[in-house]
Amino acid sequence: MENQVHFNARIEGINYDILDDLVGYAVRRAQLSIYEDFAASLAAEDITPQRFSSLVIIGNNPGISQTRLAEVMGIARSGVVSIIDRFEASGLVERQASGDRRSYNLHLTKEGQKQLKRYKKAVENHDSRISSALSASEKQQLKSLLRKIGLREEDR
Amino acid sequence: MENQVHFNARIEGINYDILDDLVGYAVRRAQLSIYEDFAASLAAEDITPQRFSSLVIIGNNPGISQTRLAEVMGIARSGVVSIIDRFEASGLVERQASGDRRSYNLHLTKEGQKQLKRYKKAVENHDSRISSALSASEKQQLKSLLRKIGLREEDR
DNA sequence: TATTGTTATACTCTATAACTATA
DNA sequence: TATAGTTATAGAGTATAACAATA
């Protein structure tokens, strides 16, 4: 057996130089430790941040098409195919016929709604845990600052 | 030709439900748009956030071993091998003999130092661009809040 | 002609585990 | 026995491009 891989934001005795000044690196670091906790928290479930987001989007935007979902997730349409194939196989999502016979309307099944409820609780717990060093107002502030990232002139 | 994949943080008319409340999702979103800008900014160079970080760490911690670098980066030792192989092939990093003949001391070459300087400028520009909607103090605040993420009781 | 979903394919990243040489 | 680096291998995730059916 080999040693486990684990991301530790800060290693004693290492000079991080410019990395400490970069907003991008701080975000990346945070993201890695969040992902690690997410994976550990939901190891028992067949879910990832990506798949969880898809399920939430489908659940709250019933009838959405695969192309639109791809656009929301920022991934290629081909990627959505495998995500939905998987959900369909596990009975969480249905491809329903739409007026346009080229496309499907995506819907959660009863089982999908039930599972999503469970996942949401687990994800909420995970999110509280990783942000437990922040007060409610700090969390709000953090989210608001993060939303300003990547905004271009014309978006402000 | 197909349509380009692009992550748009917020799509008109979509209900994001719980995703809007999660700190983790906000971080993920920000990370995606940062990564996209990084890739676009440094497309001409053979560099990624991961490789850039490695170079900075080696440059500022000369003589570091591959195992230690793996630990700092939070990746497997096998991953470091290919990163260093690549840098060695392009003449940016050298594996130097250490006292312990099982391990190497990693160093930047002259060329590596020169390139790192260039990369740093490009990355600084990129970082300013993605955070240009934030004031200096907001940037500082954001970094400070991000550093609190994932902290456990005993680390505070 | 353009669009939707699909498939084929390939590339990157990363992990695990076994190996070797050294300690 | 343990450690550093290496190799082989495999699994995600994602992209591009071409295709069939439909608009």
Side-chain angles (χ1 to χ4, degrees), chain B residues 60-90:
Chain B
N60 289 275
N61 302 272
I64 192 173
S65 73
Q66 293 188 189
T67 294
R68 185 114 164 101
L69 182 57
E71 193 191 343
V72 174
M73 309 285 297
I75 63 175
R77 288 178 301 146
S78 57
V80 169
V81 173
S82 28
I83 292 175
I84 303 302
D85 280 354
R86 182 186 205 113
F87 281 140
E88 211 172 41
S90 52

Side-chain angles (χ1 to χ4, degrees), chain A residues 9-11 14-20 25 29, chain B residues 56-57 72:
Chain A
R10 187 148 288 277
I11 303 281
I14 290 291
N15 177 358
Y16 288 82
D17 189 56
I18 193 189
L19 299 180
D20 277 330
Y25 190 70
R29 247 184 210 159
Chain B
V56 171
I57 298 294
V72 174

Side-chain angles (χ1 to χ4, degrees), chain B residues 6-7 9 16 42 54 74 76 79 82 93 95 106 110 136 138 151:
Chain B
H6 161 70
F7 180 68
Y16 288 82
L42 290 110
S54 305
S82 28
V93 170
R95 287 174 163 106
L106 300 175
K110 281 277 170 226
E138 281 178 324
L151 287 191

Side-chain angles (χ1 to χ4, degrees), chain A residues 1-9 11 28 32-33 35-37 39-40, chain B residues 50 66-80 152:
Chain A
M1 254 273 262
E2 278 281 319
N3 56 319
Q4 286 265 64
V5 171
H6 162 69
F7 180 69
N8 206 330
I11 303 281
R28 196 176 129 75
L32 285 171
S33 87
Y35 187 85
E36 207 169 86
D37 188 89
Chain B
Q50 184 78 281
Q66 293 188 189
T67 294
R68 185 114 164 101
L69 182 57
E71 193 191 343
V72 174
M73 309 285 297
I75 63 175
R77 288 178 301 146
S78 57
V80 169
R152 300 180 202 155

Side-chain angles (χ1 to χ4, degrees), chain A residues 29-79:
Chain A
R29 247 184 210 159
Q31 215 270 323
L32 285 171
S33 87
I34 291 170
Y35 187 85
E36 207 169 86
D37 188 89
F38 187 106
S41 307
L42 289 110
E45 320 284 352
D46 185 33
I47 200 85
T48 61
Q50 184 79 280
R51 291 206 280 273
F52 175 72
S53 303
S54 305
L55 225 44
V56 171
I57 298 295
I58 296 169
N60 289 275
N61 302 272
I64 191 173
S65 73
Q66 295 187 188
T67 293
R68 182 112 165 107
L69 182 58
E71 193 191 343
V72 174
M73 310 285 298
I75 62 176
R77 288 176 301 145
S78 57

